[in-house]
Amino acid sequence: MSEALLKSVKDMLNEEKWTRAAISNYSKNNFQEFSTIVENAKNENCIDEIKAVCDEYLTHTKNSIIGLYLSGMLSLKKKALDDSNLVTLVNIFLDNHRIPIVVYLCESILAEDENNKFALRTLCNCYKDENNEKVWELYKNLVKIDHDEADIAKLLAEKYEQEGNLQDAVDNYKKAIHRYINRKMLNQVKAVWTKLVSLIPEEIDFFYLVQRKIAKTFSEDKSTLLMHELYNYYYDNQKWDIAIDILKLILSCDEKDSWARKEIVECYKGKYAKHSQLEEYIRVSNINQGWRNVFEAIADFEKHISFDVKNFVFHRSWGVGKIVKVDGDQLTINFGKKYGVRDMSLKMAIDALQPLKKDHIWVLKATTKKEDLAKKVKDDKTWTLKTIIKSFDNSCDIKRIKAELVPAILSAGEWTSWSNSARKILDSDPTFGVDPNDNSKYVVRDRPITQEEKLANEFKAQKNFFPRVDILMKFVDSDETDTNSELFAEMFGYFVGYLRSFSSVDEEIIAAFLVVRRIVMANPQLNPGITYSFADLFNAIEEPVSERKIYEELKDTKNTYLRKDYLTCIRELLPNWDDVYVRLFPCVLEDNILTSLVSAGHADKVRALAENCFENYRDNNNREAVLYFFKECQNEKWFKESDVSYEKQLITLIHILDLSYREIANHYKTTENRKIINRISVLLFKNDTLLNYALDQGKNTAERLFTLVDDIQELDAAIKMNGRNKVLEKYPDIKFSETKEKVAAPKGLIVTSKMMEIRKKRLEEIVKVEIPANAKDIAEASAKGDLKENADYSAAKEKQKQLGIEASKLEDEIAKATIFNPATITTTRVSFGTVVTLKYEPSGKQEKYTILGPWESDPDNDIISYMSPLGTALQGLTEGAKKTFKIGDNENTITVVSIKAAKF
């Protein structure tokens, strides 16, 4: 059937060629017939064949109407981005004024691709010329998909405003002003600004955002000139704080602006009209004198004006106080019961005191009962967050919030759950935002903002690439945002910009491509028309950047999927994906990598990968892979068939353990090596995996494996002792060499659980009882004065030093100690937890010793430490063994009579 269709198309093209049909001969019916051919090609699955015939025909007959239509519409069926043939076709009929055909073609194109900008714009022009009311619906779609279209956005806004639909009017005016700024059309920007000031003067955050954008695109003076209009509204409505902020912004651009300086004085007069010292403070600050730096004058005035009766202040030694009297240049301040009432000159107050608002958190903590404030803090987290943030110039981070609440109001335990809830509020409540100058700090907004504005502000405040990716994807995934908004367009454009101007490929370029690709797949209308592919980028990666380094540097969060998308693109878009997957696996360590390779018939490459990792375990890049293969792949057929025996796997893990300890000793990758050590210790020793295998395989294997373990100097002594003792119980004739015994001697501290509890209780008593009591003694002795001759003070300070030394020593010992497991006691050799009977030569005298640790040592009761000279000399001796050794100047010769287990 497809062959018949193909022949039919060829015949039509030939007929067109020979008849040379004029443009005027084509009607809507002709194109309906061509449309049937397109549908048949789709149904018969021969789109590519017919398109190829048409494209070949167009190489020598470029204006073929049939060829252009069929090739173009078949491209749309394939979701291809190239619509050049359809553009040529429509322009041919436009040039010949065949408007009905143009309308039909555009409507056909939009039926396949509703976001086709060319067809949409062309159809808009046709409808507009016909005065067709349907043009307004098309305008909406065009403004939605074309983020450069400003004029039509303004037209829509004016129409909505005439109809009384102010919300949609404002939305479109906002789109228009952003787009006019992007196109650097200042006169149009001014006109829309004026309109928005008349409609939404209260949306101060929006105007500040636009002002910053105008300043960046045009100049600061042009942006501040526009702020004059907005200022008039806030002055007329006596909203003094915002009016003052606007004037400060204007003055930051031009400190010599006499108009702004005069106006800010008037605003201060309005704001502080009831202040008893208003005129005097205006005079002494010289704020209305042009010779003084305006911002220094403002700072002086704002500090002076804070000192009035009933206002609060803070002194770094006396704390919070309340001004009870102002008499000329003299202030009287009540600092509470502890520090009482103090008189201070205004000049001294300005230097020594910090003015506080009555709702400042310090004032509340000083004037409110603790239990009442704690209840308020726990019950109303939003109020608490706003109170603390506003207390510190409306810019505050989580650390500061914690410092104000813990331990004064909340305990450390209460803070954990409280802060989790608080973070959710800061993230979701529209009255909170991020500081545009520091994204780690939060601000409180006078007007709730939309989630779109909130995320856009976070994006601007964030200066780092990958956190910006996270914010963008949070925007995309939110139900409260629109990917067709101007705010999104700006954020999205940031990443598109990366792809249009780079000299080399690194992790940020790859990440930008992945972000744009993911968004465009869900929103085809946003396609920026990037001409190169993922394969082009990937193949352009050059040293020192590598495919592995890029994977490691891609930062994933709960909102981003960069690593997943990177692996997906490699799998789907690279012909040599299997080789890349093999190279990446030691870094990725995910089962789906191995599964993809095996299912695609590359089990041989996976086997070779495993063999290479075990063979080259010294390479840091392979160690994690060795651990993964050992733990996760034992039951995989391809792994069982590999040339890596189970014993080789165990030996490799022991070697990696040894290497990791050595690298730590050389201060190399300490954190990573500690993690590897912990994981290998679990794999080999937690469930006696190594021990059980060694005992099952016989004496030679057991001796070989545990000799390797013994050689690891830094390995936990209890682990080595347990394994060695179990091996000796089954194979008592194994002779671990003396030198190895010394090497294996524990550097840490082996202790009994009983002594560990005693030491921990002693440390707790020092920290929680004796140190606080000592601090109280020091304070009481200090209050007596004359510290040089104060015996009580000297004694208390000496006690403080002793307690500190003892606590520090206990903390260090407890940290190094390992609790001995009585189940590991063996009586085949002298070791921790054994009772040994000795016979001294030549006297024949017998003595019995219990071998424990330094914490348990009690020589009077014949309990000695394994770390003592005698304990060290006896370590590892078997029953009947004879040994001569020196302790000090005394030489001793002993025979081991018996070895028994100590009782715990």
Side-chain angles (χ1 to χ4, degrees):
M1 189 68 168
S2 60
E3 292 180 3
L5 185 60
L6 195 60
K7 182 177 183 304
S8 172
V9 170
K10 289 179 179 179
D11 291 343
M12 289 176 66
L13 292 171
N14 286 329
E15 182 181 353
E16 179 191 51
K17 179 179 179 180
W18 293 112
T19 58
R20 297 182 181 179
I23 298 301
S24 58
N25 291 338
Y26 286 96
S27 66
K28 182 178 176 181
N29 289 336
N30 294 126
F31 287 102
Q32 288 175 338
E33 179 185 347
F34 302 155
S35 176
T36 301
I37 293 174
V38 171
E39 289 302 318
N40 289 338
K42 177 184 176 184
N43 294 335
E44 297 178 26
N45 198 26
C46 59
I47 288 178
D48 290 336
E49 291 85 349
I50 293 179
K51 185 177 184 306
V53 169
C54 294
D55 288 345
E56 193 282 328
Y57 183 75
L58 287 169
T59 60
H60 50 78
T61 312
K62 63 180 181 180
N63 287 334
S64 163
I65 301 301
I66 297 173
L68 289 170
Y69 179 86
L70 291 179
S71 176
M73 294 304 292
L74 289 170
S75 289
L76 288 186
K77 289 290 185 184
K78 292 181 64 178
K79 305 298 181 185
L81 298 177
D82 184 9
D83 62 353
S84 57
N85 285 336
L86 291 173
V87 171
T88 300
L89 178 66
V90 171
N91 282 331
I92 289 172
F93 284 95
L94 269 175
D95 293 342
N96 286 273
H97 308 291
R98 298 293 308 280
I99 303 304
I101 297 294
V102 171
V103 170
Y104 174 81
L105 289 174
C106 289
E107 289 176 343
S108 300
I109 294 169
L110 291 171
E112 289 293 335
D113 177 11
E114 63 180 354
N115 296 315
N116 189 289
K117 294 179 186 178
F118 170 77
L120 197 55
R121 189 175 294 281
T122 303
L123 192 56
C124 282
N125 292 335
C126 293
Y127 283 175
K128 178 184 175 184
D129 292 341
E130 296 172 354
N131 291 320
N132 189 332
E133 281 297 310
K134 290 197 295 184
V135 72
W136 294 106
E137 286 301 316
L138 295 183
Y139 280 166
K140 291 179 188 178
N141 290 338
L142 187 58
V143 167
K144 181 179 179 181
I145 67 171
D146 188 349
H147 292 154
D148 293 326
E149 180 52 66
D151 292 333
I152 292 177
K154 183 168 176 284
L155 272 177
L156 280 170
E158 291 167 347
K159 176 176 170 55
Y160 285 130
E161 187 180 5
Q162 290 171 2
E163 294 172 349
N165 184 350
L166 294 184
Q167 181 60 57
D168 286 339
V170 168
D171 288 345
N172 280 277
Y173 277 129
K174 286 181 176 179
K175 285 184 172 70
I177 197 168
H178 280 294
R179 295 174 184 185
Y180 281 135
I181 294 171
N182 293 339
R183 293 170 62 181
K184 299 184 178 180
M185 302 172 71
L186 184 58
N187 289 333
Q188 288 84 343
V189 170
K190 290 178 180 178
V192 179
W193 175 280
T194 300
K195 174 59 71 174
L196 286 167
V197 168
S198 70
L199 293 175
I200 53 167
E202 294 285 347
E203 292 192 23
I204 187 64
D205 290 318
F206 168 78
F207 287 105
Y208 278 140
L209 171 67
V210 174
Q211 177 272 324
R212 290 193 295 270
K213 192 172 178 181
I214 293 171
K216 184 177 180 180
T217 305
F218 298 102
S219 65
E220 286 192 354
D221 61 323
K222 288 182 172 58
S223 73
T224 53
L225 191 62
L226 291 173
M227 297 299 286
H228 284 68
E229 290 182 58
L230 194 61
Y231 165 76
N232 292 330
Y233 167 81
Y234 286 98
Y235 180 87
D236 293 342
N237 287 275
Q238 298 184 5
K239 297 189 174 185
W240 305 120
D241 287 335
I242 297 179
I244 291 168
D245 285 342
I246 292 172
L247 291 169
K248 286 180 179 178
L249 176 64
I250 294 171
L251 286 166
S252 69
C253 179
D254 181 10
E255 294 181 4
K256 304 296 184 182
D257 191 321
S258 57
W259 171 84
R261 188 160 190 154
K262 174 179 174 295
E263 288 297 314
I264 205 167
V265 172
E266 294 304 312
C267 287
Y268 282 134
K269 287 181 177 180
K271 180 177 180 179
Y272 299 108
K274 296 181 180 179
H275 197 289
S276 62
Q277 304 292 315
L278 174 63
E279 293 299 331
E280 175 63 12
Y281 291 161
I282 289 176
R283 183 187 68 79
V284 298
S285 67
N286 294 306
I287 194 172
N288 54 3
Q289 301 299 317
W291 56 266
R292 187 170 188 206
N293 177 280
V294 66
F295 286 104
E296 290 179 2
I298 288 172
D300 271 4
F301 173 79
E302 290 184 343
K303 196 149 192 180
H304 278 80
I305 204 70
S306 301
F307 296 108
D308 200 10
V309 175
K310 296 183 180 181
N311 285 359
F312 290 91
V313 293
F314 176 80
H315 187 278
R316 62 182 181 181
S317 298
W318 305 331
V320 174
K322 186 176 184 180
I323 301 173
V324 295
K325 183 180 179 182
V326 178
D327 186 5
D329 287 341
Q330 290 295 313
L331 305 178
T332 302
I333 307 167
N334 184 356
F335 284 99
K337 293 180 181 179
K338 189 169 184 179
Y339 295 103
V341 177
R342 307 269 177 148
D343 292 325
M344 189 179 294
S345 69
L346 178 61
K347 182 178 180 181
M348 182 180 290
I350 290 173
D351 291 335
L353 300 179
Q354 177 184 340
L356 301 177
K357 294 181 179 180
K358 64 181 180 180
D359 58 352
H360 194 289
I361 187 63
W362 293 350
V363 174
L364 295 175
K365 288 199 285 189
T367 60
T368 309
K369 289 183 179 180
K370 180 178 178 179
E371 55 269 25
D372 293 340
L373 186 57
K375 186 176 187 305
K376 178 70 172 175
V377 166
K378 294 174 183 177
D379 292 345
D380 195 342
K381 297 177 181 65
T382 301
W383 171 86
T384 305
L385 290 168
K386 289 182 177 180
T387 298
I388 297 176
I389 293 171
K390 286 183 176 181
S391 295
F392 299 99
D393 297 324
N394 199 29
S395 182
C396 187
D397 59 17
I398 288 292
K399 288 183 180 178
R400 176 86 244 188
I401 294 170
K402 181 179 181 180
E404 294 305 322
L405 296 178
V406 180
I409 300 172
L410 299 176
S411 67
E414 290 172 327
W415 163 257
T416 301
S417 59
W418 191 95
S419 63
N420 288 336
S421 300
R423 289 176 192 275
K424 292 178 182 178
I425 293 171
L426 290 168
D427 189 50
S428 60
D429 191 320
T431 58
F432 294 101
V434 294
D435 187 327
N437 300 312
D438 186 346
N439 68 296
S440 69
K441 294 182 177 180
Y442 296 93
V443 298
V444 179
R445 302 193 175 278
D446 296 322
R447 176 190 65 86
I449 60 174
T450 65
Q451 181 70 355
E452 287 190 358
E453 293 172 305
K454 187 180 180 73
L455 292 172
N457 289 337
E458 287 183 22
F459 190 88
K460 287 182 174 64
Q462 178 57 252
K463 305 304 179 187
N464 296 319
F465 180 88
F466 285 104
R468 280 190 159 188
V469 174
D470 185 56
I471 295 169
L472 178 70
M473 297 313 298
K474 190 185 296 184
F475 191 109
V476 170
D477 294 338
S478 174
D479 294 331
E480 303 173 44
T481 56
D482 181 6
T483 53
N484 293 302
S485 72
E486 297 307 305
L487 297 175
F488 177 80
E490 287 189 27
M491 292 189 284
F492 184 64
Y494 169 81
F495 297 101
V496 173
Y498 263 78
L499 300 179
R500 287 182 171 155
S501 58
F502 64 90
S503 56
S504 59
V505 178
D506 60 13
E507 64 275 5
E508 291 186 352
I509 298 300
I510 293 291
F513 184 91
L514 297 173
V515 167
V516 171
R517 179 178 181 269
R518 175 174 276 270
I519 291 173
V520 168
M521 287 177 68
N523 304 272
Q525 76 277 10
L526 298 177
N527 194 317
I530 301 299
T531 56
Y532 47 82
S533 66
F534 176 81
D536 295 330
L537 283 179
F538 192 86
N539 292 330
I541 298 172
E542 297 179 352
E543 294 295 340
V545 179
S546 67
E547 59 209 21
R548 178 189 176 110
K549 181 177 182 296
I550 286 177
Y551 179 85
E552 291 173 338
E553 293 297 325
L554 292 177
K555 308 298 183 185
D556 270 348
T557 68
K558 64 180 181 181
N559 300 303
T560 59
Y561 315 91
L562 294 175
R563 288 184 169 183
K564 176 183 176 183
D565 289 351
Y566 182 58
L567 295 175
T568 299
C569 284
I570 290 171
R571 176 69 175 87
E572 296 179 355
L573 305 176
L574 297 184
N576 63 329
W577 68 271
D578 50 323
D579 293 328
V580 179
Y581 264 27
V582 168
R583 293 195 296 269
L584 279 176
F585 177 77
C587 170
V588 178
L589 298 175
E590 289 184 3
D591 178 65
N592 63 297
I593 296 290
L594 300 180
T595 302
S596 296
L597 286 165
V598 173
S599 62
H602 299 297
D604 56 331
K605 292 187 177 183
V606 177
R607 279 195 297 273
L609 168 65
E611 291 165 2
N612 176 68
C613 289
F614 278 93
E615 192 66 32
N616 297 290
Y617 65 85
R618 292 181 179 276
D619 185 340
N620 276 288
N621 294 331
N622 291 334
R623 295 181 193 176
E624 292 280 359
V626 167
L627 270 65
Y628 182 92
F629 287 131
F630 182 84
K631 182 181 179 184
E632 305 293 342
C633 301
Q634 294 295 339
N635 296 321
E636 298 293 338
K637 180 182 177 184
W638 59 265
F639 191 57
K640 292 178 179 178
E641 294 172 352
S642 69
D643 188 24
V644 185
S645 67
Y646 190 68
E647 184 168 328
K648 183 175 181 178
Q649 295 172 41
L650 292 171
I651 291 173
T652 302
L653 290 180
I654 296 171
H655 285 323
I656 293 175
L657 193 62
D658 188 28
L659 275 174
S660 297
Y661 275 120
R662 291 185 195 177
E663 289 181 357
I664 289 174
N666 292 324
H667 308 290
Y668 178 72
K669 293 189 175 181
T670 301
T671 302
E672 295 89 334
N673 277 310
R674 288 196 187 283
K675 291 179 180 178
I676 288 177
I677 287 170
N678 291 336
R679 291 171 59 197
I680 293 179
S681 296
V682 169
L683 292 174
L684 294 182
F685 306 120
K686 184 177 180 180
N687 296 315
D688 288 335
T689 301
L690 179 66
L691 179 64
N692 292 336
Y693 175 82
L695 295 179
D696 289 344
Q697 296 300 310
K699 175 184 173 182
N700 291 338
T701 299
E703 184 173 12
R704 182 167 58 253
L705 292 177
F706 278 91
T707 296
L708 290 173
V709 172
D710 255 9
D711 283 341
I712 304 175
Q713 297 185 31
E714 301 295 335
L715 184 61
D716 188 334
I719 290 176
K720 291 197 285 187
M721 186 183 296
N722 176 54
R724 189 173 54 207
N725 290 341
K726 292 291 179 64
V727 169
L728 290 171
E729 283 180 6
K730 186 168 183 178
Y731 305 110
D733 56 336
I734 289 179
K735 303 291 185 183
F736 288 109
S737 69
E738 189 70 20
T739 56
K740 286 173 183 169
E741 289 296 323
K742 290 180 180 178
V743 168
K747 288 192 175 183
L749 194 63
I750 303 177
V751 301
T752 60
S753 59
K754 179 181 178 181
M755 287 307 299
M756 176 66 87
E757 285 303 311
I758 291 173
R759 294 298 170 108
K760 283 184 175 180
K761 286 180 180 178
R762 173 58 187 154
L763 178 61
E764 185 178 9
E765 182 181 9
I766 292 173
V767 172
K768 293 187 176 181
V769 179
E770 295 188 19
I771 289 179
N774 175 249
K776 186 177 179 182
D777 291 342
I778 291 173
E780 291 176 354
S782 178
K784 297 176 181 178
D786 191 10
L787 301 183
K788 290 183 180 180
E789 302 297 328
N790 191 329
D792 290 342
Y793 178 79
S794 298
K797 289 295 287 183
E798 180 61 29
K799 178 70 172 176
Q800 181 187 53
K801 181 180 178 181
Q802 293 172 356
L803 289 172
I805 292 172
E806 186 179 358
S808 179
K809 182 181 179 183
L810 281 170
E811 286 176 348
D812 185 57
E813 289 180 342
I814 289 171
K816 292 179 179 179
T818 299
I819 296 176
F820 179 73
N821 180 3
T824 64
I825 293 176
T826 177
T827 57
T828 59
R829 292 175 183 260
V830 178
S831 58
F832 190 103
T834 59
V835 179
V836 57
T837 301
L838 306 177
K839 183 173 75 172
Y840 283 83
E841 304 293 349
S843 67
K845 179 183 177 182
Q846 291 193 4
E847 291 187 5
K848 185 184 293 184
Y849 298 101
T850 301
I851 312 296
L852 295 175
W855 285 2
E856 298 83 7
S857 179
D858 183 4
D860 291 340
N861 291 305
D862 298 323
I863 299 174
I864 64 171
S865 168
Y866 70 91
M867 297 174 73
S868 67
L870 178 57
T872 302
L874 297 176
Q875 285 291 303
L877 296 180
T878 58
E879 199 170 291
K882 187 175 183 178
K883 184 174 183 179
T884 299
F885 56 89
K886 270 190 173 184
I887 296 178
D889 295 331
N890 299 321
E891 185 173 277
N892 301 280
T893 300
I894 59 92
T895 301
V896 178
V897 177
S898 66
I899 303 171
K900 297 181 179 179
K903 295 181 179 179
F904 287 87

